[in-house]
Amino acid sequence: MANPNIVNVTSIVGGNLGFNLSNTLTATLATVAADKIVKINRITVANVDGTNAADVSLFVDGMGSGTTGVTTTGADATVYLAKTVSVPADATLVLVDTPIYLMEGDILKGGASASGDLDLFVSYEVLNDA
């Protein structure tokens, strides 16, 4: 699995994803296809329950060993962006506000402590090298 060259992309397409999170903490939310890199611009989570707080967990699974020119030592294949972070009732929390890249084959997974209480919003760009 080679990471696409972002200088030589054929297209850059912006998009948004929205999820009402289940209480399956390892639910697959998005998978990066071959010849693609996804630049995550922002991830927010809103608690739509008017009474109770709920916890959010979000992680990247299947991470590779790095990219050309970067040597990793002891890198985990699964890395949390948020782990059981409490979101108060009727509140919104920013989980990611600085861009990160998901490489081809990476899988964004996550869930909530209470099914249906948390809405997750992801703003992203797909960089296509195909």
Side-chain angles (χ1 to χ4, degrees):
M1 166 172 60
N3 288 322
N5 180 348
I6 63 175
V7 174
N8 202 25
V9 297
T10 57
S11 65
I12 301 173
V13 180
N16 299 305
L17 297 171
F19 306 93
N20 181 259
L21 296 175
S22 72
N23 60 353
T24 303
L25 297 180
T26 58
T28 296
L29 304 174
T31 302
V32 180
D35 296 319
K36 310 280 191 290
I37 288 181
V38 173
K39 180 182 176 187
I40 302 289
N41 296 311
R42 187 174 179 94
I43 301 176
T44 59
V45 60
N47 187 334
V48 296
D49 184 311
T51 306
N52 301 306
D55 295 342
V56 63
S57 292
L58 187 68
F59 63 97
V60 179
D61 196 17
M63 292 181 67
S65 58
T67 188
T68 303
V70 176
T71 303
T72 60
T73 304
D76 283 333
T78 300
V79 176
Y80 277 87
L81 302 173
K83 176 82 167 150
T84 58
V85 175
S86 182
V87 183
D90 286 335
T92 300
L93 180 68
V94 176
L95 297 178
V96 173
D97 66 354
T98 303
I100 61 172
Y101 290 97
L102 300 182
M103 307 302 185
E104 59 183 17
D106 288 352
I107 304 166
L108 184 66
K109 294 183 176 183
S113 61
S115 187
D117 281 2
L118 299 180
D119 285 348
L120 188 77
F121 180 82
V122 181
S123 172
Y124 66 92
E125 298 165 13
V126 177
L127 290 77
N128 186 353
D129 190 33

